[in-house]
Amino acid sequence: MTRTIAELPHLTGGFPAEERVAFDTLEIVTFLVLYRSCNIRFPGNVGIPMIPFSVLDLSPIAEGTTPADALHNSLALARHAEAWGYRRFWLAEHHNMPGIASAATSVVMGYVAEGTKTIRIGSGGIMLPNHSPLVIAEQFGTLASLYPDRIDLGLGRAPGTQR
């Protein structure tokens, strides 16, 4: 069920009116637990320090949807994370998984970076044995040129590799 934060006054405790937007009820509860327990800073509470949170997204393909839907949902999530003050949005790399759309991480990162303004976009992480290191360096160099100070490269070695 989608509701606004204003519709849950017993949870909001005076949450700023300008931040009353529509969310899933579960998202609101999760958000408010973080908001209250961690003193996350939003436009309505200036001066409270913000804990530097990040989001890791796998671009899951929900039943009855397409990989394109999953990637559009990833962009929507990144925009929400940016609006909520998160520092980074990480995209995971997974291959040969029918329920995950994040196989071409650098391509998805470019899509998300273009659709956001300030949040850092990172790979969580590129499994280097699966790729040519030179190609990865060129892709991330290009992304960093297009989106200065917003691109993070996370690397891994992939399960089962000894390199």
Side-chain angles (χ1 to χ4, degrees):
M1 173 195 308
T2 300
R3 302 174 78 173
T4 67
I5 290 177
E7 293 172 318
L8 301 173
H10 60 289
L11 295 174
T12 61
F15 195 81
E18 64 271 11
E19 296 296 325
R20 294 179 187 160
V21 294
F23 300 99
D24 261 0
T25 302
L26 179 59
E27 288 176 322
I28 293 173
V29 171
T30 303
F31 167 72
L32 290 170
V33 166
L34 286 172
Y35 175 80
R36 286 183 162 183
S37 64
C38 301
N39 290 327
I40 296 175
R41 180 178 49 78
F42 287 89
N45 46 352
V46 175
I48 298 174
M50 174 156 174
I51 295 173
F53 285 110
S54 296
V55 173
L56 172 64
D57 185 29
L58 300 173
S59 299
I61 304 170
E63 189 173 334
T65 66
T66 67
D69 295 330
L71 296 172
H72 295 309
N73 289 340
S74 290
L75 176 57
L77 179 60
R79 287 175 174 162
H80 281 353
E82 181 175 59
W84 291 339
Y86 283 79
R87 297 267 177 93
R88 284 185 177 84
F89 189 81
W90 297 97
L91 290 151
E93 174 184 322
H94 285 285
H95 301 282
N96 300 320
M97 296 183 73
I100 304 293
S102 60
T105 311
S106 58
V107 174
V108 179
M109 287 177 63
Y111 172 66
V112 171
E114 182 63 27
T116 56
K117 293 178 177 64
T118 59
I119 195 167
R120 294 185 69 88
I121 310 297
S123 62
I126 299 292
M127 299 298 112
L128 215 44
N130 297 335
H131 306 278
S132 163
L134 179 60
V135 170
I136 296 301
E138 289 173 337
Q139 289 173 355
F140 278 79
T142 302
L143 286 169
S145 295
L146 292 170
Y147 309 101
D149 299 319
R150 293 189 53 215
I151 301 298
D152 293 316
L153 172 59
L155 298 172
R157 62 183 183 118
T161 61
Q162 300 301 319
R163 300 186 240 175

